[in-house]
Amino acid sequence: MSHEGIRFLTEEEQKRQDREDRRAAGLTKQALTPAKVKVHKTEGTGMEIEWEDGHRSHWSFAWLRSACPCATCVEERQLEGREAGVPKSKPKQLLQMYEPPARPASAHPVGRYAIQFNWMDGHSSGIYSWDFLRRHCQCEDCRLGRSVPN
């Protein structure tokens, strides 16, 4: 297996790259740092985050499962031309099969930068970084801001 072209960043280089990425996106460190995270597993309603900058975000479990950031799911979405959070199209069948709603069996923090869900369907490789979640905030203001061309 060849590793040509792969470059591993030092911790300092990664921190510098992260700062540049935040600056380019106009997001401050406070905007990417959760003050409070609530996963409503029992209610089945999703997850909400109150960010240090005062913004509040909410995602349904269906959206989160369809937006899985693991390499396999990202590649599948790209091949199908789907955006993060857009569910797979269902095949046309005479009798539609019941599919239980997306729900996590568990959720746990990953370091200080992300959360990981172990989904009831057995999938668990997606790590949802705070950066990914904030950039995909589902509130009306954020969705409208993303749809406005620069």
PDB file of all heavy atoms in Angstrom, residues 35-71:
ATOM      1  N   ALA A  35     -22.086  24.974  24.935  1.00  0.00           N
ATOM      2  CA  ALA A  35     -22.216  25.254  26.366  1.00  0.00           C
ATOM      3  C   ALA A  35     -23.043  24.145  27.009  1.00  0.00           C
ATOM      4  O   ALA A  35     -22.799  23.763  28.150  1.00  0.00           O
ATOM      5  CB  ALA A  35     -22.881  26.611  26.582  1.00  0.00           C
ATOM      6  N   LYS A  36     -24.018  23.616  26.251  1.00  0.00           N
ATOM      7  CA  LYS A  36     -24.901  22.573  26.763  1.00  0.00           C
ATOM      8  C   LYS A  36     -25.353  21.693  25.602  1.00  0.00           C
ATOM      9  O   LYS A  36     -25.769  22.194  24.568  1.00  0.00           O
ATOM     10  CB  LYS A  36     -26.124  23.217  27.424  1.00  0.00           C
ATOM     11  CG  LYS A  36     -26.954  22.303  28.272  1.00  0.00           C
ATOM     12  CD  LYS A  36     -28.148  23.025  28.858  1.00  0.00           C
ATOM     13  CE  LYS A  36     -27.707  24.131  29.797  1.00  0.00           C
ATOM     14  NZ  LYS A  36     -28.835  24.783  30.468  1.00  0.00           N
ATOM     15  N   VAL A  37     -25.256  20.377  25.784  1.00  0.00           N
ATOM     16  CA  VAL A  37     -25.689  19.408  24.769  1.00  0.00           C
ATOM     17  C   VAL A  37     -26.747  18.512  25.395  1.00  0.00           C
ATOM     18  O   VAL A  37     -26.530  17.955  26.473  1.00  0.00           O
ATOM     19  CB  VAL A  37     -24.510  18.534  24.277  1.00  0.00           C
ATOM     20  CG1 VAL A  37     -24.984  17.490  23.269  1.00  0.00           C
ATOM     21  CG2 VAL A  37     -23.404  19.398  23.690  1.00  0.00           C
ATOM     22  N   LYS A  38     -27.886  18.402  24.726  1.00  0.00           N
ATOM     23  CA  LYS A  38     -28.966  17.525  25.198  1.00  0.00           C
ATOM     24  C   LYS A  38     -29.319  16.546  24.099  1.00  0.00           C
ATOM     25  O   LYS A  38     -29.651  16.946  22.988  1.00  0.00           O
ATOM     26  CB  LYS A  38     -30.205  18.329  25.573  1.00  0.00           C
ATOM     27  CG  LYS A  38     -30.032  19.228  26.765  1.00  0.00           C
ATOM     28  CD  LYS A  38     -31.325  19.963  27.048  1.00  0.00           C
ATOM     29  CE  LYS A  38     -31.150  20.943  28.189  1.00  0.00           C
ATOM     30  NZ  LYS A  38     -32.398  21.717  28.412  1.00  0.00           N
ATOM     31  N   VAL A  39     -29.253  15.254  24.411  1.00  0.00           N
ATOM     32  CA  VAL A  39     -29.668  14.210  23.478  1.00  0.00           C
ATOM     33  C   VAL A  39     -30.972  13.646  24.043  1.00  0.00           C
ATOM     34  O   VAL A  39     -30.977  13.066  25.116  1.00  0.00           O
ATOM     35  CB  VAL A  39     -28.603  13.101  23.350  1.00  0.00           C
ATOM     36  CG1 VAL A  39     -29.086  11.996  22.424  1.00  0.00           C
ATOM     37  CG2 VAL A  39     -27.282  13.691  22.853  1.00  0.00           C
ATOM     38  N   HIS A  40     -32.067  13.862  23.317  1.00  0.00           N
ATOM     39  CA  HIS A  40     -33.400  13.441  23.782  1.00  0.00           C
ATOM     40  C   HIS A  40     -33.701  12.028  23.297  1.00  0.00           C
ATOM     41  O   HIS A  40     -34.616  11.806  22.500  1.00  0.00           O
ATOM     42  CB  HIS A  40     -34.459  14.431  23.294  1.00  0.00           C
ATOM     43  CG  HIS A  40     -34.223  15.827  23.790  1.00  0.00           C
ATOM     44  ND1 HIS A  40     -34.459  16.200  25.096  1.00  0.00           N
ATOM     45  CD2 HIS A  40     -33.753  16.928  23.165  1.00  0.00           C
ATOM     46  CE1 HIS A  40     -34.158  17.475  25.247  1.00  0.00           C
ATOM     47  NE2 HIS A  40     -33.720  17.944  24.093  1.00  0.00           N
ATOM     48  N   LYS A  41     -32.909  11.092  23.802  1.00  0.00           N
ATOM     49  CA  LYS A  41     -33.015   9.698  23.367  1.00  0.00           C
ATOM     50  C   LYS A  41     -34.342   9.079  23.778  1.00  0.00           C
ATOM     51  O   LYS A  41     -35.019   8.441  22.973  1.00  0.00           O
ATOM     52  CB  LYS A  41     -31.850   8.898  23.965  1.00  0.00           C
ATOM     53  CG  LYS A  41     -31.689   7.525  23.390  1.00  0.00           C
ATOM     54  CD  LYS A  41     -30.482   6.840  23.965  1.00  0.00           C
ATOM     55  CE  LYS A  41     -30.972   5.967  25.059  1.00  0.00           C
ATOM     56  NZ  LYS A  41     -30.240   4.896  25.504  1.00  0.00           N
ATOM     57  N   THR A  42     -34.758   9.279  25.009  1.00  0.00           N
ATOM     58  CA  THR A  42     -36.003   8.693  25.505  1.00  0.00           C
ATOM     59  C   THR A  42     -37.208   9.226  24.750  1.00  0.00           C
ATOM     60  O   THR A  42     -38.094   8.468  24.355  1.00  0.00           O
ATOM     61  CB  THR A  42     -36.167   8.966  27.015  1.00  0.00           C
ATOM     62  OG1 THR A  42     -35.009   8.481  27.683  1.00  0.00           O
ATOM     63  CG2 THR A  42     -37.395   8.285  27.571  1.00  0.00           C
ATOM     64  N   GLU A  43     -37.239  10.532  24.519  1.00  0.00           N
ATOM     65  CA  GLU A  43     -38.350  11.147  23.798  1.00  0.00           C
ATOM     66  C   GLU A  43     -38.297  10.857  22.301  1.00  0.00           C
ATOM     67  O   GLU A  43     -39.293  10.944  21.610  1.00  0.00           O
ATOM     68  CB  GLU A  43     -38.365  12.672  23.999  1.00  0.00           C
ATOM     69  CG  GLU A  43     -38.505  13.122  25.444  1.00  0.00           C
ATOM     70  CD  GLU A  43     -37.155  13.245  26.147  1.00  0.00           C
ATOM     71  OE1 GLU A  43     -36.149  12.685  25.668  1.00  0.00           O
ATOM     72  OE2 GLU A  43     -37.094  13.901  27.193  1.00  0.00           O
ATOM     73  N   GLY A  44     -37.094  10.562  21.799  1.00  0.00           N
ATOM     74  CA  GLY A  44     -36.925  10.283  20.376  1.00  0.00           C
ATOM     75  C   GLY A  44     -36.998  11.515  19.496  1.00  0.00           C
ATOM     76  O   GLY A  44     -37.201  11.406  18.287  1.00  0.00           O
ATOM     77  N   THR A  45     -36.810  12.701  20.088  1.00  0.00           N
ATOM     78  CA  THR A  45     -36.981  13.944  19.327  1.00  0.00           C
ATOM     79  C   THR A  45     -35.704  14.491  18.707  1.00  0.00           C
ATOM     80  O   THR A  45     -35.764  15.377  17.859  1.00  0.00           O
ATOM     81  CB  THR A  45     -37.600  15.040  20.213  1.00  0.00           C
ATOM     82  OG1 THR A  45     -36.773  15.213  21.367  1.00  0.00           O
ATOM     83  CG2 THR A  45     -39.004  14.655  20.632  1.00  0.00           C
ATOM     84  N   GLY A  46     -34.555  14.015  19.118  1.00  0.00           N
ATOM     85  CA  GLY A  46     -33.316  14.486  18.522  1.00  0.00           C
ATOM     86  C   GLY A  46     -32.346  15.058  19.529  1.00  0.00           C
ATOM     87  O   GLY A  46     -32.374  14.711  20.712  1.00  0.00           O
ATOM     88  N   MET A  47     -31.494  15.948  19.048  1.00  0.00           N
ATOM     89  CA  MET A  47     -30.447  16.541  19.874  1.00  0.00           C
ATOM     90  C   MET A  47     -30.495  18.047  19.742  1.00  0.00           C
ATOM     91  O   MET A  47     -30.802  18.574  18.674  1.00  0.00           O
ATOM     92  CB  MET A  47     -29.080  16.031  19.408  1.00  0.00           C
ATOM     93  CG  MET A  47     -27.922  16.630  20.185  1.00  0.00           C
ATOM     94  SD  MET A  47     -26.312  15.974  19.719  1.00  0.00           S
ATOM     95  CE  MET A  47     -26.075  16.721  18.129  1.00  0.00           C
ATOM     96  N   GLU A  48     -30.184  18.727  20.827  1.00  0.00           N
ATOM     97  CA  GLU A  48     -30.082  20.183  20.762  1.00  0.00           C
ATOM     98  C   GLU A  48     -28.804  20.629  21.451  1.00  0.00           C
ATOM     99  O   GLU A  48     -28.320  19.982  22.380  1.00  0.00           O
ATOM    100  CB  GLU A  48     -31.303  20.871  21.355  1.00  0.00           C
ATOM    101  CG  GLU A  48     -31.579  20.577  22.795  1.00  0.00           C
ATOM    102  CD  GLU A  48     -32.886  21.198  23.264  1.00  0.00           C
ATOM    103  OE1 GLU A  48     -33.937  20.822  22.724  1.00  0.00           O
ATOM    104  OE2 GLU A  48     -32.818  22.052  24.171  1.00  0.00           O
ATOM    105  N   ILE A  49     -28.265  21.710  20.930  1.00  0.00           N
ATOM    106  CA  ILE A  49     -27.047  22.290  21.489  1.00  0.00           C
ATOM    107  C   ILE A  49     -27.263  23.777  21.701  1.00  0.00           C
ATOM    108  O   ILE A  49     -27.769  24.474  20.825  1.00  0.00           O
ATOM    109  CB  ILE A  49     -25.830  22.081  20.561  1.00  0.00           C
ATOM    110  CG1 ILE A  49     -25.509  20.597  20.415  1.00  0.00           C
ATOM    111  CG2 ILE A  49     -24.611  22.848  21.085  1.00  0.00           C
ATOM    112  CD1 ILE A  49     -24.349  20.302  19.483  1.00  0.00           C
ATOM    113  N   GLU A  50     -26.867  24.225  22.877  1.00  0.00           N
ATOM    114  CA  GLU A  50     -26.780  25.665  23.149  1.00  0.00           C
ATOM    115  C   GLU A  50     -25.294  25.978  23.071  1.00  0.00           C
ATOM    116  O   GLU A  50     -24.487  25.398  23.796  1.00  0.00           O
ATOM    117  CB  GLU A  50     -27.326  25.990  24.533  1.00  0.00           C
ATOM    118  CG  GLU A  50     -27.322  27.460  24.841  1.00  0.00           C
ATOM    119  CD  GLU A  50     -27.912  27.774  26.194  1.00  0.00           C
ATOM    120  OE1 GLU A  50     -28.855  27.084  26.624  1.00  0.00           O
ATOM    121  OE2 GLU A  50     -27.409  28.721  26.837  1.00  0.00           O
ATOM    122  N   TRP A  51     -24.928  26.863  22.132  1.00  0.00           N
ATOM    123  CA  TRP A  51     -23.534  27.188  21.887  1.00  0.00           C
ATOM    124  C   TRP A  51     -23.084  28.316  22.814  1.00  0.00           C
ATOM    125  O   TRP A  51     -23.903  29.093  23.306  1.00  0.00           O
ATOM    126  CB  TRP A  51     -23.341  27.594  20.431  1.00  0.00           C
ATOM    127  CG  TRP A  51     -23.780  26.538  19.467  1.00  0.00           C
ATOM    128  CD1 TRP A  51     -24.999  26.433  18.861  1.00  0.00           C
ATOM    129  CD2 TRP A  51     -23.037  25.406  19.025  1.00  0.00           C
ATOM    130  NE1 TRP A  51     -25.047  25.315  18.069  1.00  0.00           N
ATOM    131  CE2 TRP A  51     -23.855  24.665  18.144  1.00  0.00           C
ATOM    132  CE3 TRP A  51     -21.742  24.946  19.273  1.00  0.00           C
ATOM    133  CZ2 TRP A  51     -23.417  23.501  17.524  1.00  0.00           C
ATOM    134  CZ3 TRP A  51     -21.310  23.787  18.648  1.00  0.00           C
ATOM    135  CH2 TRP A  51     -22.141  23.082  17.783  1.00  0.00           C
ATOM    136  N   GLU A  52     -21.786  28.432  23.031  1.00  0.00           N
ATOM    137  CA  GLU A  52     -21.251  29.480  23.905  1.00  0.00           C
ATOM    138  C   GLU A  52     -21.575  30.876  23.414  1.00  0.00           C
ATOM    139  O   GLU A  52     -21.635  31.811  24.204  1.00  0.00           O
ATOM    140  CB  GLU A  52     -19.736  29.319  24.082  1.00  0.00           C
ATOM    141  CG  GLU A  52     -19.375  28.235  25.065  1.00  0.00           C
ATOM    142  CD  GLU A  52     -17.897  28.226  25.425  1.00  0.00           C
ATOM    143  OE1 GLU A  52     -17.111  29.025  24.860  1.00  0.00           O
ATOM    144  OE2 GLU A  52     -17.531  27.404  26.280  1.00  0.00           O
ATOM    145  N   ASP A  53     -21.821  31.046  22.098  1.00  0.00           N
ATOM    146  CA  ASP A  53     -22.162  32.370  21.577  1.00  0.00           C
ATOM    147  C   ASP A  53     -23.650  32.686  21.737  1.00  0.00           C
ATOM    148  O   ASP A  53     -24.126  33.717  21.283  1.00  0.00           O
ATOM    149  CB  ASP A  53     -21.732  32.524  20.118  1.00  0.00           C
ATOM    150  CG  ASP A  53     -22.519  31.640  19.150  1.00  0.00           C
ATOM    151  OD1 ASP A  53     -23.338  30.812  19.598  1.00  0.00           O
ATOM    152  OD2 ASP A  53     -22.308  31.777  17.933  1.00  0.00           O
ATOM    153  N   GLY A  54     -24.413  31.777  22.389  1.00  0.00           N
ATOM    154  CA  GLY A  54     -25.836  32.007  22.653  1.00  0.00           C
ATOM    155  C   GLY A  54     -26.775  31.394  21.622  1.00  0.00           C
ATOM    156  O   GLY A  54     -27.983  31.329  21.844  1.00  0.00           O
ATOM    157  N   HIS A  55     -26.269  30.945  20.499  1.00  0.00           N
ATOM    158  CA  HIS A  55     -27.104  30.340  19.461  1.00  0.00           C
ATOM    159  C   HIS A  55     -27.601  28.973  19.937  1.00  0.00           C
ATOM    160  O   HIS A  55     -26.917  28.285  20.679  1.00  0.00           O
ATOM    161  CB  HIS A  55     -26.286  30.198  18.171  1.00  0.00           C
ATOM    162  CG  HIS A  55     -27.100  29.784  16.992  1.00  0.00           C
ATOM    163  ND1 HIS A  55     -27.920  30.656  16.316  1.00  0.00           N
ATOM    164  CD2 HIS A  55     -27.222  28.590  16.370  1.00  0.00           C
ATOM    165  CE1 HIS A  55     -28.503  30.018  15.320  1.00  0.00           C
ATOM    166  NE2 HIS A  55     -28.102  28.755  15.324  1.00  0.00           N
ATOM    167  N   ARG A  56     -28.795  28.585  19.476  1.00  0.00           N
ATOM    168  CA  ARG A  56     -29.353  27.266  19.798  1.00  0.00           C
ATOM    169  C   ARG A  56     -29.616  26.519  18.505  1.00  0.00           C
ATOM    170  O   ARG A  56     -30.136  27.084  17.550  1.00  0.00           O
ATOM    171  CB  ARG A  56     -30.659  27.397  20.578  1.00  0.00           C
ATOM    172  CG  ARG A  56     -30.473  27.923  21.976  1.00  0.00           C
ATOM    173  CD  ARG A  56     -31.829  28.074  22.662  1.00  0.00           C
ATOM    174  NE  ARG A  56     -31.672  28.662  23.955  1.00  0.00           N
ATOM    175  CZ  ARG A  56     -31.679  27.972  25.088  1.00  0.00           C
ATOM    176  NH1 ARG A  56     -31.866  26.674  25.059  1.00  0.00           N
ATOM    177  NH2 ARG A  56     -31.518  28.573  26.248  1.00  0.00           N
ATOM    178  N   SER A  57     -29.259  25.235  18.504  1.00  0.00           N
ATOM    179  CA  SER A  57     -29.456  24.384  17.330  1.00  0.00           C
ATOM    180  C   SER A  57     -30.205  23.131  17.730  1.00  0.00           C
ATOM    181  O   SER A  57     -30.065  22.651  18.858  1.00  0.00           O
ATOM    182  CB  SER A  57     -28.101  23.965  16.731  1.00  0.00           C
ATOM    183  OG  SER A  57     -27.326  25.073  16.377  1.00  0.00           O
ATOM    184  N   HIS A  58     -30.999  22.585  16.801  1.00  0.00           N
ATOM    185  CA  HIS A  58     -31.715  21.326  17.026  1.00  0.00           C
ATOM    186  C   HIS A  58     -31.668  20.491  15.750  1.00  0.00           C
ATOM    187  O   HIS A  58     -31.823  21.031  14.647  1.00  0.00           O
ATOM    188  CB  HIS A  58     -33.173  21.592  17.414  1.00  0.00           C
ATOM    189  CG  HIS A  58     -33.936  20.315  17.596  1.00  0.00           C
ATOM    190  ND1 HIS A  58     -34.607  19.710  16.555  1.00  0.00           N
ATOM    191  CD2 HIS A  58     -34.098  19.517  18.662  1.00  0.00           C
ATOM    192  CE1 HIS A  58     -35.165  18.587  16.993  1.00  0.00           C
ATOM    193  NE2 HIS A  58     -34.870  18.452  18.270  1.00  0.00           N
ATOM    194  N   TRP A  59     -31.435  19.196  15.911  1.00  0.00           N
ATOM    195  CA  TRP A  59     -31.447  18.247  14.803  1.00  0.00           C
ATOM    196  C   TRP A  59     -32.319  17.069  15.198  1.00  0.00           C
ATOM    197  O   TRP A  59     -32.221  16.565  16.318  1.00  0.00           O
ATOM    198  CB  TRP A  59     -30.042  17.703  14.502  1.00  0.00           C
ATOM    199  CG  TRP A  59     -29.059  18.762  14.177  1.00  0.00           C
ATOM    200  CD1 TRP A  59     -28.704  19.222  12.954  1.00  0.00           C
ATOM    201  CD2 TRP A  59     -28.273  19.518  15.114  1.00  0.00           C
ATOM    202  NE1 TRP A  59     -27.757  20.209  13.060  1.00  0.00           N
ATOM    203  CE2 TRP A  59     -27.472  20.404  14.383  1.00  0.00           C
ATOM    204  CE3 TRP A  59     -28.167  19.529  16.511  1.00  0.00           C
ATOM    205  CZ2 TRP A  59     -26.581  21.284  14.982  1.00  0.00           C
ATOM    206  CZ3 TRP A  59     -27.298  20.405  17.103  1.00  0.00           C
ATOM    207  CH2 TRP A  59     -26.518  21.276  16.336  1.00  0.00           C
ATOM    208  N   SER A  60     -33.148  16.597  14.280  1.00  0.00           N
ATOM    209  CA  SER A  60     -33.919  15.379  14.531  1.00  0.00           C
ATOM    210  C   SER A  60     -32.972  14.191  14.374  1.00  0.00           C
ATOM    211  O   SER A  60     -31.944  14.285  13.697  1.00  0.00           O
ATOM    212  CB  SER A  60     -35.077  15.268  13.531  1.00  0.00           C
ATOM    213  OG  SER A  60     -34.573  15.021  12.228  1.00  0.00           O
ATOM    214  N   PHE A  61     -33.330  13.067  14.981  1.00  0.00           N
ATOM    215  CA  PHE A  61     -32.507  11.871  14.815  1.00  0.00           C
ATOM    216  C   PHE A  61     -32.517  11.413  13.359  1.00  0.00           C
ATOM    217  O   PHE A  61     -31.512  10.917  12.859  1.00  0.00           O
ATOM    218  CB  PHE A  61     -32.973  10.744  15.732  1.00  0.00           C
ATOM    219  CG  PHE A  61     -32.639  10.979  17.183  1.00  0.00           C
ATOM    220  CD1 PHE A  61     -33.577  10.708  18.162  1.00  0.00           C
ATOM    221  CD2 PHE A  61     -31.399  11.460  17.578  1.00  0.00           C
ATOM    222  CE1 PHE A  61     -33.273  10.910  19.505  1.00  0.00           C
ATOM    223  CE2 PHE A  61     -31.081  11.673  18.905  1.00  0.00           C
ATOM    224  CZ  PHE A  61     -32.031  11.398  19.878  1.00  0.00           C
ATOM    225  N   ALA A  62     -33.634  11.599  12.668  1.00  0.00           N
ATOM    226  CA  ALA A  62     -33.706  11.213  11.250  1.00  0.00           C
ATOM    227  C   ALA A  62     -32.680  12.012  10.446  1.00  0.00           C
ATOM    228  O   ALA A  62     -31.961  11.463   9.603  1.00  0.00           O
ATOM    229  CB  ALA A  62     -35.108  11.428  10.699  1.00  0.00           C
ATOM    230  N   TRP A  63     -32.595  13.327  10.706  1.00  0.00           N
ATOM    231  CA  TRP A  63     -31.633  14.151   9.987  1.00  0.00           C
ATOM    232  C   TRP A  63     -30.209  13.701  10.321  1.00  0.00           C
ATOM    233  O   TRP A  63     -29.371  13.535   9.426  1.00  0.00           O
ATOM    234  CB  TRP A  63     -31.801  15.643  10.323  1.00  0.00           C
ATOM    235  CG  TRP A  63     -30.965  16.493   9.431  1.00  0.00           C
ATOM    236  CD1 TRP A  63     -31.350  17.078   8.264  1.00  0.00           C
ATOM    237  CD2 TRP A  63     -29.578  16.824   9.600  1.00  0.00           C
ATOM    238  NE1 TRP A  63     -30.282  17.746   7.706  1.00  0.00           N
ATOM    239  CE2 TRP A  63     -29.191  17.609   8.497  1.00  0.00           C
ATOM    240  CE3 TRP A  63     -28.628  16.537  10.572  1.00  0.00           C
ATOM    241  CZ2 TRP A  63     -27.897  18.106   8.345  1.00  0.00           C
ATOM    242  CZ3 TRP A  63     -27.336  17.019  10.407  1.00  0.00           C
ATOM    243  CH2 TRP A  63     -26.986  17.807   9.312  1.00  0.00           C
ATOM    244  N   LEU A  64     -29.924  13.507  11.601  1.00  0.00           N
ATOM    245  CA  LEU A  64     -28.585  13.120  12.015  1.00  0.00           C
ATOM    246  C   LEU A  64     -28.157  11.797  11.378  1.00  0.00           C
ATOM    247  O   LEU A  64     -27.043  11.668  10.884  1.00  0.00           O
ATOM    248  CB  LEU A  64     -28.500  13.020  13.541  1.00  0.00           C
ATOM    249  CG  LEU A  64     -28.547  14.352  14.289  1.00  0.00           C
ATOM    250  CD1 LEU A  64     -28.828  14.129  15.765  1.00  0.00           C
ATOM    251  CD2 LEU A  64     -27.249  15.120  14.095  1.00  0.00           C
ATOM    252  N   ARG A  65     -29.068  10.821  11.366  1.00  0.00           N
ATOM    253  CA  ARG A  65     -28.711   9.519  10.777  1.00  0.00           C
ATOM    254  C   ARG A  65     -28.457   9.665   9.277  1.00  0.00           C
ATOM    255  O   ARG A  65     -27.521   9.083   8.741  1.00  0.00           O
ATOM    256  CB  ARG A  65     -29.821   8.488  11.039  1.00  0.00           C
ATOM    257  CG  ARG A  65     -29.539   7.112  10.454  1.00  0.00           C
ATOM    258  CD  ARG A  65     -28.278   6.501  11.070  1.00  0.00           C
ATOM    259  NE  ARG A  65     -27.932   5.236  10.447  1.00  0.00           N
ATOM    260  CZ  ARG A  65     -27.093   5.110   9.417  1.00  0.00           C
ATOM    261  NH1 ARG A  65     -26.527   6.188   8.873  1.00  0.00           N
ATOM    262  NH2 ARG A  65     -26.809   3.922   8.921  1.00  0.00           N
ATOM    263  N   SER A  66     -29.267  10.470   8.595  1.00  0.00           N
ATOM    264  CA  SER A  66     -29.095  10.678   7.148  1.00  0.00           C
ATOM    265  C   SER A  66     -27.884  11.543   6.826  1.00  0.00           C
ATOM    266  O   SER A  66     -27.430  11.569   5.686  1.00  0.00           O
ATOM    267  CB  SER A  66     -30.348  11.320   6.548  1.00  0.00           C
ATOM    268  OG  SER A  66     -31.429  10.439   6.638  1.00  0.00           O
ATOM    269  N   ALA A  67     -27.362  12.251   7.814  1.00  0.00           N
ATOM    270  CA  ALA A  67     -26.207  13.129   7.606  1.00  0.00           C
ATOM    271  C   ALA A  67     -24.922  12.524   8.164  1.00  0.00           C
ATOM    272  O   ALA A  67     -23.930  13.225   8.321  1.00  0.00           O
ATOM    273  CB  ALA A  67     -26.458  14.476   8.280  1.00  0.00           C
ATOM    274  N   CYS A  68     -24.933  11.247   8.446  1.00  0.00           N
ATOM    275  CA  CYS A  68     -23.761  10.603   9.049  1.00  0.00           C
ATOM    276  C   CYS A  68     -22.486  11.038   8.333  1.00  0.00           C
ATOM    277  O   CYS A  68     -22.393  10.925   7.111  1.00  0.00           O
ATOM    278  CB  CYS A  68     -23.905   9.085   9.011  1.00  0.00           C
ATOM    279  SG  CYS A  68     -22.444   8.255   9.682  1.00  0.00           S
ATOM    280  N   PRO A  69     -21.493  11.541   9.094  1.00  0.00           N
ATOM    281  CA  PRO A  69     -20.267  12.029   8.460  1.00  0.00           C
ATOM    282  C   PRO A  69     -19.186  10.971   8.264  1.00  0.00           C
ATOM    283  O   PRO A  69     -18.054  11.320   7.920  1.00  0.00           O
ATOM    284  CB  PRO A  69     -19.804  13.120   9.428  1.00  0.00           C
ATOM    285  CG  PRO A  69     -20.313  12.679  10.748  1.00  0.00           C
ATOM    286  CD  PRO A  69     -21.608  11.959  10.489  1.00  0.00           C
ATOM    287  N   CYS A  70     -19.501   9.680   8.446  1.00  0.00           N
ATOM    288  CA  CYS A  70     -18.466   8.665   8.226  1.00  0.00           C
ATOM    289  C   CYS A  70     -18.141   8.588   6.736  1.00  0.00           C
ATOM    290  O   CYS A  70     -18.950   8.969   5.882  1.00  0.00           O
ATOM    291  CB  CYS A  70     -18.880   7.301   8.782  1.00  0.00           C
ATOM    292  SG  CYS A  70     -19.985   6.342   7.734  1.00  0.00           S
ATOM    293  N   ALA A  71     -16.983   8.066   6.403  1.00  0.00           N
ATOM    294  CA  ALA A  71     -16.520   8.018   5.010  1.00  0.00           C
ATOM    295  C   ALA A  71     -17.478   7.238   4.116  1.00  0.00           C
ATOM    296  O   ALA A  71     -17.760   7.652   2.987  1.00  0.00           O
ATOM    297  CB  ALA A  71     -15.123   7.410   4.954  1.00  0.00           C
TER     298      ALA A  71
END
